[in-house]
Amino acid sequence: ARSFSTESEAVKFDIAVPFETHLCDSPELSSLATKEELLEYHKVMYGMRRMEISCDQEYKAKNIRGFCHLYDGQEAVAVGTQAALTNDDDWITTYRCHGTALVRGSTYQEIFEEQFGFEGGVVRGKGGSMHMYNKKTNFYGGAAIVGAQVPVGAGLGFFHKYKRKGEEKTPVSVAFYGDGSANQGQCWEAANMAALWKIPVIFVCENNMYGMGTSAERSSANTDYYKQGNFIPGIKIDGMDVLAVKEGMKFAKEYASSGNGPIYAEIKTYRYHGHSMSDPGITYRTRDEVSEVRQSRDPIELVKRRLIEAGFATEEELKATEKEIRGEVQKALTAAKASKVPEPEELYSDIYAAEDATQEGKRLASDIPEEIRMPDRAKTVYH
């Protein structure tokens, strides 16, 4: 998984958009970051952007099929959140999960292969675009059912509360959902249980302003998603600024890990593509709106400006880095295309536990079932 380490002396950067809070204090409007940190943020965010552009092209070429939800525009959310957490903290998110998979340790090639349905994919080609996981880094994947990951995230947090000893700080669970999920009943139920039991979970509304083609104003009576927890504190964060996300999520983690229970975080961001590849993204918003965000609030351009203004890098050096990253992504894509679909035996791997399934490092290399019960079509009402 991505590690954002520090080596050189940190520099203080101002955060332009103030945090908004509910029933809690506010973090300072500044962030300390080293040259190495900012260069790594730029590298990961730009690589994420190029990866998603490649996915767009491969989908249009019909090499990727089915659902495909791209993350370009929202890169600062995944990278800033990872910078605030450790891999001991659990993370579960929506079906727009390519970026999270990348920062939690999956490679470009694994993410490409997963979408091709190939054997070297994140989950060996069985999950596709919406279902990527990494057990080693406690990434519990993308969930295809709107809002369904939120109660699972609360359950992951309950594990940490259950294992807590005394007053020690615990890892936290972060449960991401979109503004289109915010009014799901299961989200409210999970929040209520988390508040009653003081579960260390951060409920993160990744608000990209549109649930499919419906604006937040048309879908929610209360668009202040960070206040939706009522008695649960909340914080609103500028999701186009990686340093704001880092500081806001550090604040939320400190609160939840200290035994105070859950906290809400609304991270306001913007997606450049449509909801999915089947959505052109300009029937419910204008081209001018998308263009204005790209020109004035792009998260990668903000990191580049900070690097240049702090004297950490020149524009020519950043262009050279981006050229190198484009080559890395293309190399990974070429390698992914050279792979192949899994062997038929993968159909029943990781389903039925074999005798050696509990041994350290073993997959659930399932025994072939003697019989697979199939539906009797003659007895169905739709036959």
Side-chain angles (χ1 to χ4, degrees):
R2 302 286 173 178
S3 176
F4 302 112
S5 60
T6 60
E7 294 179 11
S8 63
E9 184 177 347
V11 173
K12 181 181 285 190
F13 294 90
D14 292 333
I15 293 172
V17 179
F19 299 103
E20 296 180 40
T21 59
H22 171 65
L23 301 179
C24 62
D25 295 329
S26 175
E28 292 186 13
L29 286 175
S30 63
S31 177
L32 292 174
T34 65
K35 174 182 177 179
E36 291 79 13
E37 283 179 305
L38 281 185
L39 286 172
E40 184 67 9
Y41 297 159
H42 169 249
K43 181 179 179 180
V44 177
M45 291 167 67
Y46 187 78
M48 195 179 293
R49 176 78 56 88
R50 295 306 308 181
M51 178 182 73
E52 294 298 69
I53 290 171
S54 295
C55 290
D56 170 89
Q57 294 168 345
E58 294 303 315
Y59 192 95
K60 290 172 179 174
K62 299 184 179 180
N63 294 324
I64 296 174
R65 297 172 182 266
F67 293 105
C68 183
H69 306 82
L70 301 181
Y71 204 66
D72 49 323
Q74 301 181 212
E75 296 91 351
V77 179
V79 174
T81 298
Q82 178 64 13
L85 305 178
T86 74
N87 289 336
D88 290 329
D89 299 309
D90 299 324
W91 192 336
I92 190 167
T93 189
T94 71
Y95 39 71
R96 198 179 304 279
C97 62
H98 304 170
T100 313
L102 188 67
V103 299
R104 275 287 162 122
S106 295
T107 65
Y108 300 135
Q109 182 175 339
E110 289 171 335
I111 293 170
F112 285 138
E113 285 205 46
E114 187 57 42
Q115 294 180 83
F116 295 149
F118 287 170
E119 62 182 2
V122 177
V123 289
R124 298 174 182 85
K126 297 179 180 180
S129 172
M130 299 193 290
H131 300 287
M132 299 187 185
Y133 307 84
N134 195 326
K135 183 179 179 181
K136 292 180 180 178
T137 59
N138 291 306
F139 173 45
Y140 290 87
I145 306 303
V146 174
Q149 71 279 8
V150 176
V152 178
L156 292 167
F158 181 76
F159 168 81
H160 295 303
K161 174 181 173 61
Y162 188 79
K163 300 288 285 186
R164 187 184 189 203
K165 296 178 181 178
E167 298 300 313
E168 68 179 11
K169 290 185 179 180
T170 67
V172 301
S173 166
V174 290
F176 272 69
Y177 58 97
D179 48 290
S181 307
N183 298 303
Q184 283 270 327
Q186 56 194 333
C187 297
W188 298 98
E189 291 180 52
N192 182 62
M193 293 170 70
L196 285 171
W197 297 342
K198 290 189 178 295
I199 293 174
V201 56
I202 307 172
F203 295 113
V204 184
C205 179
E206 192 169 9
N207 179 9
N208 61 22
M209 300 175 60
Y210 297 93
M212 299 185 72
T214 304
S215 67
E217 289 73 20
R218 292 179 60 212
S219 67
S220 295
N222 177 10
T223 57
D224 289 330
Y225 296 110
Y226 68 104
K227 295 180 179 179
Q228 281 194 328
N230 298 316
F231 296 107
I232 300 174
I235 180 170
K236 185 177 181 179
I237 303 165
D238 177 14
M240 306 304 276
D241 181 350
V242 68
L243 295 184
V245 177
K246 181 184 78 167
E247 295 303 326
M249 290 300 288
K250 279 174 59 178
F251 175 87
K253 178 181 174 178
E254 175 66 22
Y255 179 90
S257 68
S258 300
N260 296 310
I263 185 170
Y264 271 67
E266 176 189 348
I267 305 182
K268 189 75 173 289
T269 184
Y270 196 86
R271 56 171 164 80
Y272 291 159
H273 269 83
H275 170 72
S276 68
M277 285 300 298
S278 61
D279 169 20
I282 52 171
T283 57
Y284 47 87
R285 57 184 188 177
T286 65
R287 293 183 187 273
D288 288 343
E289 177 184 312
V290 180
S291 178
E292 191 278 329
V293 175
R294 283 184 179 274
Q295 293 175 13
S296 65
R297 297 172 53 210
D298 186 81
I300 297 174
E301 292 302 315
L302 177 55
V303 172
K304 290 168 68 174
R305 284 201 302 272
R306 282 178 168 145
L307 281 163
I308 293 170
E309 290 171 1
F312 288 163
T314 66
E315 187 172 350
E316 290 72 25
E317 289 170 335
L318 294 177
K319 286 182 178 178
T321 297
E322 291 177 352
K323 181 179 179 181
E324 181 180 344
I325 293 169
R326 289 195 298 271
E328 292 174 359
V329 173
Q330 184 58 48
K331 182 179 179 181
L333 179 60
T334 301
K337 286 183 170 181
S339 186
K340 59 186 178 67
V341 297
E343 296 298 326
E345 287 75 18
E346 275 293 341
L347 284 171
Y348 44 80
S349 294
D350 300 326
I351 298 174
Y352 298 100
E355 291 182 3
D356 63 354
T358 58
Q359 294 182 19
E360 188 66 27
K362 292 283 186 180
R363 288 184 60 202
L364 298 182
S366 308
D367 294 327
I368 301 175
E370 294 181 2
E371 178 185 1
I372 299 178
R373 183 179 177 185
M374 300 299 289
D376 185 347
R377 292 180 58 83
K379 294 183 180 179
T380 68
V381 296
Y382 300 108
H383 180 64

